[in-house]
């Protein structure tokens, strides 16, 4: 799922002229010697690969410019509130447990906030790690899993890791700065030696079917942002007064949304879900959630962990049609082991009779969830008065082709699925961030060669905005590292601008001047939020949460946050 943009700006001054590099992610910018930051699942560097870089550039400086007033992107806005271990539980000898970090965003990388590394980041997960990976390439002494004096062979958690990095004397965080509005990419390029756009895919793919605009229809990405406290989604106010919800999509984000809709509210009371979202969920009348996919069980996009959580969700029972799984057992020999384990769990759930204890539990379950395969949405059906969604018309499909070429084709049959809430979770897409940056609207990527933006020297990209919204966190780690190495190669080859660059000094002056003219879009100038400012907001959130036994009560109103900071 995913979000704003972050920019990473880098300044180098080692045995020669100061060099600055700006990487943009989401709506924020990180300024320093060199780095790559990305939104969504695009910005990640493997710690063991980053350690040598600081030795090459001991005078690197990094500035992070973030759209949101707070850091951590996907970790804060994309990870489900009932998954605190994802935010904290990163472990592994000398490595990092990003395996458990989720996209949401891919939203999202799903999170909005990092607007530029001079990198644009949109998706929700692993923001702290992505930023930290970039900074660690350029800032010696930053915490790193490969640095025993800091990590002891273990990642303690995402937020703490980024916090240590952000407190470095050569790294600065500036939130509340939206690249493309408050500062342009050309202005960043003028101030820094390099800019990396790594802003992921902050938009959702539209269904492009009749009725999509009806009240009662929204994207899963917006729904996740709503219950996780993303400021731009706080006006969503979903109507949960219906009995049945339909989620179009069968990925991890879809399962996250289904799980939150069906989880007993008392199980969410001690999480960091927003107060407003918890209040709405307490009043929810949703009892059944259908997850609809165009293809079959073998093509589902969710993983075994998320499926197991749904199967074991208190107070719910699964609804699976055994006919959808006929012949599947014979095909499992052809699939990789992770997919095979997932299919075996689906088969057991659909085909095997539950034991006495599980059967009794399911018989008493007041809520249910189900997977509808071989169905493609054709229309959102309106209520009799035409004022809101009342169902989804589905085309029955069959599969043609094999392997990666398998596609769903309509059979000609149709069926209507009644519901009062429709959530679209069919993928993400990147947006152009600045008129000066080339963008392929059809593919939804920035044209590039190995991360070098086409025809724009000194400008780079990484992650989903580089290659499209595909792949998992490991894919993003590799991709981000490759872009970082490309930038390093260009630096060593003398392809980046030479001579000193003003870096954040110029950008801060520019931001201060914004809003002073009669046609100003932001009156009074842009008011950047520093990392120490964020720590004050963090303390306020934790204090508010203590009264109700929550880890924190998230602040969701930017104006309230600025008021608390005296801005």
């Amino acid at each position: 799922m995913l979000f704003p943009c972050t920019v990473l700006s880098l300044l180098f001054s080692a045995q020669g002229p100061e060099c600055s590099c700006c990487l943009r992610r989401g709506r924020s910018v990180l300024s320093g010697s060199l780095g790559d930051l990305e939104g969504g699942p695009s910005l990640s560097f493997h710690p063991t690969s980053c350690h040598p870089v600081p030795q090459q550039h001991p005078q690197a400086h990094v500035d992070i410019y973030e759209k949101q007033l707070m850091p951590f992107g996907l970790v804060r806005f994309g990870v489900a509130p009932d998954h605190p271990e994802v935010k904290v539980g990163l472990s592994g000898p000398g490595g990092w447990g990003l395996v458990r970090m989720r996209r949401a965003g891919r939203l999202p990388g799903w999170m909005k906030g990092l607007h530029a590394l001079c990198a644009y980041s949109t998706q929700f997960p692993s923001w702290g790690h992505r930023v930290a990976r970039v900074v660690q390439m350029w800032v010696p002494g930053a915490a790193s899993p490969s640095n025993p004096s800091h990590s002891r062979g273990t990642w303690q958690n995402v937020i703490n890791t980024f916090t240590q990095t952000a407190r470095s004397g050569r790294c600065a965080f500036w939130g509340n700065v939206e690249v493309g509005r408050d500062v342009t990419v050309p202005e960043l390029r003028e101030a820094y030696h390099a800019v990396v756009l790594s802003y992921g895919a902050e938009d959702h793919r539209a269904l492009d079917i009749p009725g999509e605009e009806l009240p009662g229809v929204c994207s899963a990405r917006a729904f996740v942002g709503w219950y996780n406290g993303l400021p731009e989604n706080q006006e969503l106010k979903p109507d949960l007064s219906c009995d049945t919800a339909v989620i179009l999509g069968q990925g991890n984000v879809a399962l996250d949304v289904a799980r939150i809709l069906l989880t007993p509210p008392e199980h969410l009371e001690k999480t960091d879900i927003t107060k407003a979202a918890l209040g709405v969920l307490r009043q929810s009348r949703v009892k059944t959630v259908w997850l609809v996919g165009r293809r079959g069980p073998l093509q589902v996009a969710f993983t075994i962990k998320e499926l197991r959580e749904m199967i074991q969700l208190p107070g719910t029972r699964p609804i699976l049609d055994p006919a959808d799984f006929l012949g599947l057992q014979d095909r499992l020999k052809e699939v990789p082991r992770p997919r095979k384990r997932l299919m075996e769990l689906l088969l057991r759930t659909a085909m095997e009779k539950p034991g006495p204890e599980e059967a009794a539990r399911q018989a008493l379950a007041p809520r249910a969830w189900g997977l509808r395969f071989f169905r493609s949405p054709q229309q959102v059906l309106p209520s009799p008065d035409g004022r809101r969604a009342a169902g989804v018309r589905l085309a029955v499909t069959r599969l043609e082709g094999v392997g990666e070429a398998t596609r769903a084709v309509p059979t000609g049959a149709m069926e209507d699925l009644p519901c009062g809430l429709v959530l679209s979770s069919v993928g993400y897409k990147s947006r152009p961030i600045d008129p000066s940056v080339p963008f392929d609207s059809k593919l939804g990527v920035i044209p590039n060669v190995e991360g070098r933006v086409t025809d724009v020297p000194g400008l780079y990209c990484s992650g989903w905005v580089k290659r499209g919204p595909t792949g998992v966190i490991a894919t993003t780690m590799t991709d981000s590292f490759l872009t970082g190495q490309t930038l390093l190669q260009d630096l060593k080859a003398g392809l980046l601008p030479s001579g000193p660059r003003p870096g954040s000094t110029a950008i801060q002056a520019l931001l201060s001047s914004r809003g002073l003219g009669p046609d100003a879009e932001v009156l009074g100038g842009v008011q950047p939020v520093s990392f120490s400012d964020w720590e004050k907001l963090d303390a306020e959130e934790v204090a508010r949460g203590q009264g109700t036994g929550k880890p924190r009560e998230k602040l969701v109103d930017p104006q309230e946050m600025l008021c608390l900071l005296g801005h």
Side-chain angles (χ1 to χ4, degrees):
M1 296 188 146
L2 23 42
F3 287 34
C5 305
T6 297
V7 177
L8 177 60
S9 306
L10 304 168
L11 295 172
F12 297 97
S13 58
Q15 314 244 343
E18 186 180 58
C19 173
S20 60
C21 168
C22 177
L23 293 84
R24 177 176 188 289
R25 175 192 177 234
R27 298 271 189 259
S28 59
V29 175
L30 180 60
S31 158
S33 300
L34 175 61
D36 171 309
L37 186 59
E38 75 148 11
S42 311
L43 172 63
S44 298
F45 284 98
H46 195 285
T48 58
S49 303
C50 301
H51 187 56
V53 181
Q55 298 175 0
Q56 302 176 34
H57 300 281
Q59 301 303 317
H61 292 266
V62 177
D63 292 336
I64 303 172
Y65 295 87
E66 165 70 38
K67 175 185 177 181
Q68 303 298 331
L69 277 75
M70 65 288 294
F72 311 130
L74 180 60
V75 173
R76 179 180 175 95
F77 299 118
V79 176
D82 59 343
H83 281 174
E85 80 286 353
V86 176
K87 305 178 185 184
V88 178
L90 300 175
S91 61
W96 58 349
L98 277 183
V99 178
R100 305 198 66 184
M101 296 299 297
R102 59 183 68 239
R103 322 119 312 288
R106 290 173 180 124
L107 197 237
W110 242 73
M111 285 338 305
K112 292 195 165 188
L114 286 185
H115 221 146
L117 181 32
C118 275
Y120 176 69
S121 198
T122 297
Q123 294 316 306
F124 280 139
S126 314
W127 183 91
H129 280 88
R130 295 176 183 135
V131 179
R133 292 283 58 71
V134 173
V135 177
Q136 287 166 7
M137 292 184 70
W138 306 101
V139 182
S144 167
S146 60
N147 184 342
S149 66
H150 292 282
S151 68
R152 300 178 183 177
T154 301
W155 273 96
Q156 296 302 316
N157 67 57
V158 181
I159 293 175
N160 285 350
T161 298
F162 177 76
T163 298
Q164 292 178 47
T165 303
R167 287 172 175 168
S168 165
R170 291 179 24 230
C171 176
F173 170 84
W174 300 108
N176 197 37
V177 178
E178 182 173 349
V179 174
R181 185 195 70 177
D182 302 331
V183 61
T184 67
V185 171
E187 288 168 338
L188 291 170
R189 293 182 61 222
E190 188 70 23
Y192 296 95
H193 291 91
V195 173
V196 178
L197 303 178
S198 181
Y199 57 92
E202 70 174 318
D203 205 356
H204 69 280
R205 286 179 52 196
L207 295 170
D208 291 328
I209 60 176
E212 184 176 10
E213 75 290 344
L214 285 170
V217 182
C218 72
S219 70
R221 177 190 174 281
F223 190 78
V224 172
W226 168 72
Y227 65 64
N228 270 331
L230 185 65
E232 67 189 60
N233 294 133
Q234 294 314 293
E235 300 301 319
L236 185 64
K237 295 179 173 51
D239 183 353
L240 306 184
S241 62
C242 59
D243 176 81
T244 302
V246 169
I247 301 174
L248 301 173
Q250 294 181 336
N252 279 339
V253 173
L255 285 191
D256 276 354
V257 170
R259 193 179 64 255
I260 294 299
L261 282 171
L262 296 175
T263 295
E266 58 270 21
H267 290 207
L268 298 173
E269 289 177 345
K270 304 305 179 182
T271 72
D272 65 359
I273 191 170
T274 65
K275 181 179 180 180
L278 184 58
V280 172
L281 290 169
R282 287 187 191 280
Q283 303 300 317
S284 172
R285 297 180 182 178
V286 175
K287 301 299 181 185
T288 304
V289 176
W290 291 104
L291 297 100
V292 178
R294 293 179 297 109
R295 298 187 291 176
L298 266 177
Q299 289 78 38
V300 297
F302 53 73
T303 53
I304 193 169
K305 175 183 179 291
E306 280 70 22
L307 175 61
R308 187 178 292 115
E309 286 181 327
M310 287 300 298
I311 294 172
Q312 299 172 351
L313 189 62
T316 68
R317 59 184 176 86
I319 306 174
L320 300 176
D321 185 352
D324 289 334
F325 299 87
L326 294 176
L328 185 61
Q329 183 68 55
D330 297 334
R331 301 179 59 187
L332 293 187
K333 296 179 181 179
E334 309 168 9
V335 301
R337 185 172 181 273
R339 174 66 52 169
K340 180 180 180 180
R341 292 177 59 236
L342 174 61
M343 291 302 105
E344 288 173 342
L345 178 56
L346 271 174
L347 277 168
R348 288 196 301 271
T349 306
M351 309 293 281
E352 295 180 5
K353 184 178 180 180
E357 184 176 343
E358 177 63 12
R361 185 190 74 83
Q362 291 186 14
L364 296 175
R367 295 174 296 276
W369 61 275
L371 298 172
R372 298 293 292 270
F373 298 108
F374 309 110
R375 302 292 187 273
S376 178
Q378 302 299 300
Q379 178 184 356
V380 177
L381 301 173
S383 58
D385 61 7
R387 299 179 64 180
R388 62 173 298 104
V392 181
R393 179 155 295 163
L394 303 170
V396 179
T397 64
R398 58 182 174 82
L399 297 183
E400 285 187 354
V402 295
E404 295 296 324
T406 301
R407 62 191 185 95
V409 297
T411 64
M414 293 280 184
E415 66 179 38
D416 293 346
L417 183 57
C419 66
L421 177 66
V422 180
L423 294 155
S424 170
S425 184
V426 295
Y428 304 91
K429 65 178 183 180
S430 299
R431 298 173 179 172
I433 190 167
D434 190 285
S436 69
V437 180
F439 191 80
D440 186 325
S441 299
K442 182 177 180 180
L443 298 178
V445 299
I446 294 174
N448 70 93
V449 178
E450 297 181 345
R452 298 179 181 91
V453 175
T454 305
D455 298 327
V456 189
L459 186 63
Y460 303 82
C461 61
S462 173
W464 283 11
V465 77
K466 170 185 175 182
R467 68 178 189 275
T470 60
V472 295
I473 289 176
T475 315
T476 294
M477 289 170 57
T478 302
D479 179 78
S480 297
F481 179 74
L482 291 175
T483 294
Q485 289 303 311
T486 295
L487 197 160
L488 275 172
Q489 292 169 10
D490 291 353
L491 177 66
K492 293 178 181 178
L495 300 179
L496 296 182
S498 60
R501 289 291 174 101
S504 61
T505 301
I507 300 301
Q508 295 297 328
L510 188 153
L511 293 174
S512 296
S513 68
R514 295 281 150 91
L516 300 183
D519 299 323
E521 185 175 341
V522 183
L523 297 179
V526 180
Q527 300 174 311
V529 171
S530 68
F531 195 77
S532 61
D533 286 334
W534 150 247
E535 291 182 311
K536 296 174 184 176
L537 297 176
D538 176 49
E540 176 67 20
E541 290 186 341
V542 172
R544 293 187 183 190
Q546 288 177 343
T548 55
K550 300 177 65 175
R552 68 177 61 242
E553 186 60 60
K554 289 180 177 178
L555 296 166
V556 299
D557 182 355
Q559 291 306 313
E560 180 187 8
M561 297 183 220
L562 291 173
C563 183
L564 287 170
L565 294 173
H567 286 7

